Amino acid sequence: MQPDLFANAAWRDALAALREEGLLRDLDVAVAHFLHRQAPETPAAVLILAALTSAQLAAGHLCLDLQEPHLQQRLWPAGRPLALAGLLPEHTDDWPPLLEAGAVIARPDQADAPLIFDGRRLYLRRHWCQESAVAERIRARLSPSLEMPADLPERLAALFPEAAGDGPDWQQVACALAGRAGLTLITGGPGTGKTTTVVRLLGLLQGIAIDAGRPLRIRLAAPTGKAAARLTESIGAQVAALPVAEPVRAAIPSAVSTLHRLLGTRPDSRHFRHHRHNPLHADLVVVDEASMIDMDMMASLLDALDPNTRLILLGDKDQLASVEAGAVMGDLCRDADRGGYHDSTLNYLHQACGADLGAWAGDGPALAQQTAMLRTNWRFKDTPGIGELASAVNGGDPAAVTRVLKQSLPGLHNLSLNGHRDSLAERLLDGDGARPGLRALFTEVLSPPDGDQRDTWAAARLKQLTGQQLLSGLRGGPYGVERLNQQVTEHLRRQGLAGDHEWYPGRPVMMTRNDYQLGLMNGDVGLTLPHPLGLRVAFQLPDGRVRWVLPSRLDSAETVYAMTVHKAQGSEFDHTLLVLPERPHPLLTRELIYTAVTRARSAFTLIQYGGPSVLAQAVRQRTWRASGLAEKLA
């Protein structure tokens, strides 16, 4: 008995030591203890690997990839903990033999177990099941099985009367691909026309369906309330201008809901009202900003769709991945740049829209045959500096990024504020000359109208709030959003613009969790405004209406003069300012910088408190998430 007691003490002490060093969470340690209670004979090394697998979720990984080249460096950046000596082999090549099937570990084709070892990856069973289900349901939608009308070329030509410029019209290509199968992926950077494409695609598919006497039930969704509101606003005007018959135009919805609302969230539950036994009543579902969808949500979405319901996912594969575990859009569109179209796909597209895509021919998987990457940027033609900076960042070349920043291109600014923290608050307050700052907003806030104009005025102030936005890649620390919001608030109070109380006219707030009673979602932004009944916080709903909320009802709202880049996804601002700290940080990656730059419509300002090495390291550092989804689909 004594050796077993010593062994038990050793692995328990090792996990406690890893928790003390911040390498494991309480939850991860609890997983190992649970497995030990279920099967006391489980080796210590397996319990430790189980805890490490659980810990991957906090970093967005779905599994522990034992063939990751620099796995140990990622698991313990400061060096291998001494507590693991004698419990876990030093070389990761020696870890897979430890994972033999048994009471707590199963192979994919074996009986249930808390852990699944699939090839080179160790999963908690729930996440392996989600990934496998997503792959299976995506594969089921990929075969070109929908018959297109003989006049498809004429329909596409009518929807795309203008010349796309040199090369293929990728928007037209995307529409042609979407017409023939149950799933289509449309990816592209900001300004490449994803919304324009989907509106014309809806006109194409609804027109075909109405002519056949079977109008489509269409549902539009986005992951967050902000993204839903922005898509609602942009779709409405574009649908009105579609060159289609009035009955077709009338049958295209403009209201966009959040995915949670679409699936029917059940309060205090991870489950939704719609699932395989109660699927959505829809023939076509379109989801914008799909790069923000985590694996859990993607599994729920696909589970809620009838097998015959078409799904179109739009998003920028190069943006930040979802906050929760998984990088679904990135996995699905990993090779979108290359095309990889088969001869049958090339022939179909040539017949449908005259596109010559020989340069993108290849032997890509079935998923590639239903993926279109929009490659022409329309937004940054008037502000090429933002577009050039985004391309340089996306290329991972710090030298190219530096060259772009030194060119003094219109709309692009690079500031060094080392040691001058108050100057940032002053800049936010006064603007940059070409664009007003917070002072102009606070002036307007103090002059509310009477009567029926109150909602219109509030909507205008919310729009004014998007004129500039300060972003940070960090939440905590001296350059994280928590401290930045405190600094700006303190500066406003010294200027006499913000009151001493928690709530004051002009305070912008963001919801930090869903509030189903109020109908507000995590990420929704509101503005505190005067109201005849006292201070109220105005939120603009996805359908354009303004909701006035008593501040005391907002238990989960925080000041948002500065927001994280993650929270900014799905939003656009006239002028975006990104703060970089004094030293490099693991959370500062190429995708984060790219996402921050592309939130700007007309101006981007980089604010550096450290040297050029901070930006250079961030541009070189890619976000990577362990997942087997791409392999399962290949």
Side-chain angles (χ1 to χ4, degrees):
M1 287 292 293
Q2 292 303 316
D4 290 337
L5 289 174
F6 290 142
N8 278 338
W11 70 260
R12 292 174 191 273
D13 289 346
L15 293 180
L18 294 180
R19 181 176 54 191
E20 286 296 319
E21 294 182 40
L23 300 173
L24 292 177
R25 304 167 296 172
D26 289 342
L27 173 62
D28 310 325
V29 175
V31 167
H33 283 270
F34 168 79
L35 295 179
H36 177 70
R37 289 194 299 272
Q38 298 300 307
E41 72 281 2
T42 303
V46 172
L47 297 175
I48 292 170
L49 289 174
L52 292 174
T53 301
S54 173
Q56 301 311 293
L57 300 172
H61 303 286
L62 288 169
C63 57
L64 183 67
D65 187 340
L66 300 184
Q67 292 184 14
E68 181 186 340
H70 305 290
L71 177 59
Q72 294 207 56
Q73 181 181 342
R74 183 171 63 78
L75 292 177
W76 28 79
R80 180 185 172 89
L82 295 176
L84 295 177
L87 294 174
L88 190 66
E90 289 192 15
H91 301 291
T92 55
D93 292 344
D94 297 325
W95 294 0
L98 302 172
L99 302 173
E100 297 180 358
V104 301
I105 297 177
R107 304 290 180 175
D109 57 348
Q110 294 174 331
D112 288 358
L115 298 172
I116 300 293
F117 187 43
D118 188 353
R120 63 193 235 197
R121 301 178 177 92
L122 183 62
Y123 294 82
L124 298 181
R125 182 171 190 83
R126 172 170 169 256
H127 301 104
W128 179 85
C129 289
Q130 285 181 338
E131 184 180 272
S132 299
V134 166
E136 179 183 352
R137 290 177 177 132
I138 286 176
R139 279 196 303 268
R141 285 181 157 79
L142 288 178
S143 299
S145 58
L146 301 172
E147 186 175 347
M148 297 304 293
D151 64 346
L152 177 61
E154 289 76 18
R155 291 176 183 264
L156 285 171
L159 287 166
F160 294 89
E162 69 278 4
D166 297 334
D169 187 335
W170 287 100
Q171 295 184 15
Q172 205 173 25
V173 167
C175 289
L177 289 176
R180 66 175 193 159
L183 172 70
T184 305
L185 305 174
I186 303 175
T187 185
T192 53
K194 293 188 293 293
T195 304
T196 299
T197 302
V198 77
V199 169
R200 297 185 186 186
L201 173 57
L202 295 177
L204 171 70
L205 299 181
Q206 191 65 285
I208 293 172
I210 286 178
D211 288 348
R214 298 186 299 273
L216 296 174
R217 296 169 298 177
I218 301 172
R219 301 296 299 274
L220 309 177
T224 67
K226 290 184 298 180
R230 189 165 63 84
L231 185 60
T232 297
E233 181 181 1
S234 57
I235 277 184
Q238 294 200 36
V239 169
L242 267 181
V244 295
E246 182 55 37
V248 175
R249 194 178 297 114
I252 298 175
S254 59
V256 184
S257 69
T258 64
L259 281 172
H260 284 85
R261 288 192 183 104
L262 178 73
L263 300 183
T265 301
R266 291 177 172 173
D268 303 319
S269 169
R270 290 180 46 252
H271 302 290
F272 294 97
R273 185 163 52 86
H274 290 291
H275 45 75
R276 73 186 70 181
H277 303 300
N278 180 33
L280 276 167
H281 301 296
D283 302 303
L284 172 64
V285 173
V286 178
V287 183
D288 193 20
E289 297 290 351
S291 62
M292 301 169 67
I293 304 177
D294 57 67
M295 181 60 75
D296 194 15
M297 177 56 79
M298 183 61 75
S300 297
L301 172 63
L302 290 170
D303 187 52
L305 298 185
D306 183 90
N308 295 318
T309 299
R310 301 192 207 183
L311 176 63
I312 297 171
L313 299 176
L314 299 101
D316 185 348
K317 68 181 182 65
D318 297 316
Q319 279 190 30
L320 279 168
S322 56
V323 174
E324 303 298 331
V328 180
M329 194 68 176
D331 285 340
L332 297 181
C333 300
R334 180 177 296 176
D335 298 319
D337 306 71
R338 296 203 296 264
Y341 295 126
H342 299 168
D343 287 345
S344 59
T345 303
L346 296 175
N347 292 335
Y348 166 75
L349 291 172
H350 184 70
Q351 293 173 8
C353 56
D356 180 4
L357 301 182
W360 291 272
D363 57 354
L367 186 65
Q369 313 313 307
Q370 286 304 122
T371 301
M373 181 173 175
L374 308 182
R375 302 164 193 261
T376 303
N377 193 297
W378 306 97
R379 181 196 299 175
F380 298 135
K381 288 194 171 183
D382 295 329
T383 53
I386 298 174
E388 289 190 31
L389 180 60
S391 297
V393 170
N394 215 8
D397 184 353
V401 172
T402 301
R403 284 196 298 271
V404 173
L405 289 172
K406 287 183 176 179
Q407 291 177 21
S408 300
L409 295 169
L412 206 56
H413 310 281
N414 184 22
L415 298 178
S416 176
L417 294 182
N418 192 11
H420 302 283
R421 298 190 183 184
D422 282 347
S423 61
L424 174 57
E426 293 169 3
R427 179 170 289 271
L428 289 177
L429 186 61
D430 297 325
D432 64 354
R435 283 161 289 272
L438 289 172
R439 191 184 301 277
L441 175 64
F442 273 79
T443 300
E444 293 287 349
V445 160
L446 296 177
S447 303
D450 296 325
D452 297 339
Q453 298 300 314
R454 191 172 294 113
D455 283 6
T456 302
W457 173 78
R461 300 291 72 76
L462 284 164
K463 186 174 180 62
Q464 187 177 358
L465 185 63
T466 68
Q468 71 172 7
Q469 182 61 57
L470 180 64
L471 303 179
S472 172
L474 309 175
R475 181 161 185 83
Y479 303 99
V481 295
E482 292 175 348
R483 183 62 189 130
L484 291 172
N485 280 315
Q486 291 174 2
Q487 289 175 344
V488 175
T489 301
E490 291 166 2
H491 187 74
L492 289 170
R493 283 177 176 153
R494 289 195 296 269
Q495 297 290 317
L497 295 173
D500 294 330
H501 299 289
E502 178 185 11
W503 293 97
Y504 52 86
R507 181 193 176 196
V509 296
M510 173 183 283
M511 298 294 294
T512 57
R513 64 176 176 83
N514 298 336
D515 189 319
Y516 301 102
Q517 287 188 331
L518 296 176
L520 300 175
M521 297 292 113
N522 185 1
D524 286 353
V525 173
L527 185 61
T528 311
L529 296 171
H531 190 276
L533 299 177
L535 284 181
R536 294 293 187 270
V537 183
F539 292 86
Q540 189 157 27
L541 302 179
D543 61 7
R545 290 181 297 121
V546 172
R547 174 159 295 168
W548 297 85
V549 181
L550 194 67
S552 60
R553 297 192 65 188
L554 296 176
D555 297 329
S556 56
E558 60 184 24
T559 303
V560 71
Y561 296 113
M563 70 172 66
T564 63
V565 179
H566 268 103
K567 288 291 189 181
Q569 281 187 273
S571 298
E572 293 177 357
F573 311 98
D574 185 49
H575 181 199
T576 300
L577 305 94
L578 174 65
V579 170
L580 291 183
E582 291 178 323
R583 288 180 290 275
H585 193 283
L587 292 180
L588 301 179
T589 63
R590 182 186 311 174
E591 290 80 4
L592 183 139
I593 303 297
Y594 170 82
T595 302
V597 172
T598 54
R599 296 312 88 207
R601 282 190 293 258
S602 61
F604 174 79
T605 298
L606 182 66
I607 299 171
Q608 302 188 69
Y609 284 97
S613 62
V614 178
L615 177 60
Q617 181 165 322
V619 170
R620 283 193 295 264
Q621 184 167 280
R622 294 217 66 170
T623 300
W624 177 83
R625 291 192 167 180
S627 162
L629 180 60
E631 288 187 14
K632 285 181 172 68
L633 288 168

